[in-house]
Amino acid sequence: LPSATAPVIGPPSESGGLQVHVALGAATGSHCVAARSAAGGSSAAGGAEAAAAAPAEPKRTSAFRGVSRRYGNGRWKARIKQHGTDVVIGDFDDEEEAARAYDARARQIHGDNAILNFPNSS
């Protein structure tokens, strides 16, 4: 191995796959792994470039109380606790629509003491 501390990155393979070279640390026994794609982008060093090129993943969490995204179909689920039981209000295509459904159910259950996503709307 050429260096005990620097990873070695080889040229892309003819098939366009990744080439990975591992350099072992001489003093500590630690190791570094570097990988490079056929396009020349590094996935181990400079991960910001790889992250910027990757397609954006849909957000999994909601800013609204009682609203979450379902993993299977990507729709928004509204739910609320009632007497210690998780009650699913429904599935919605729009995050805000699910939040408004939560607010309506929270008003039914808790009345004026309800904590709402949109407290100023009626």
Side-chain angles (χ1 to χ4, degrees):
L1 296 172
S3 171
T5 57
V8 179
I9 302 174
S13 66
E14 292 177 10
S15 64
L18 294 175
Q19 284 206 1
V20 178
H21 301 272
V22 178
L24 295 177
T28 63
S30 64
H31 65 277
C32 298
V33 176
R36 191 168 95 174
S37 68
S42 173
S43 62
E49 294 173 7
E57 188 175 312
K59 69 179 182 174
R60 295 182 180 175
T61 59
S62 173
F64 297 109
R65 175 183 291 272
V67 177
S68 60
R69 187 164 216 150
R70 288 199 182 266
Y71 288 102
N73 59 17
R75 297 184 73 196
W76 295 99
K77 173 176 63 173
R79 61 183 172 180
I80 192 168
K81 291 274 190 187
Q82 185 175 12
H83 303 295
T85 303
D86 202 8
V87 177
V88 175
I89 299 165
D91 288 345
F92 303 89
D93 291 324
D94 183 53
E95 181 181 16
E96 186 175 318
E97 183 182 2
R100 292 192 184 278
Y102 170 89
D103 283 5
R105 189 61 177 262
R107 278 191 199 95
Q108 288 177 348
I109 296 170
H110 302 292
D112 291 338
N113 297 324
I115 300 173
L116 305 172
N117 292 306
F118 305 100
N120 296 330
S121 65
S122 43

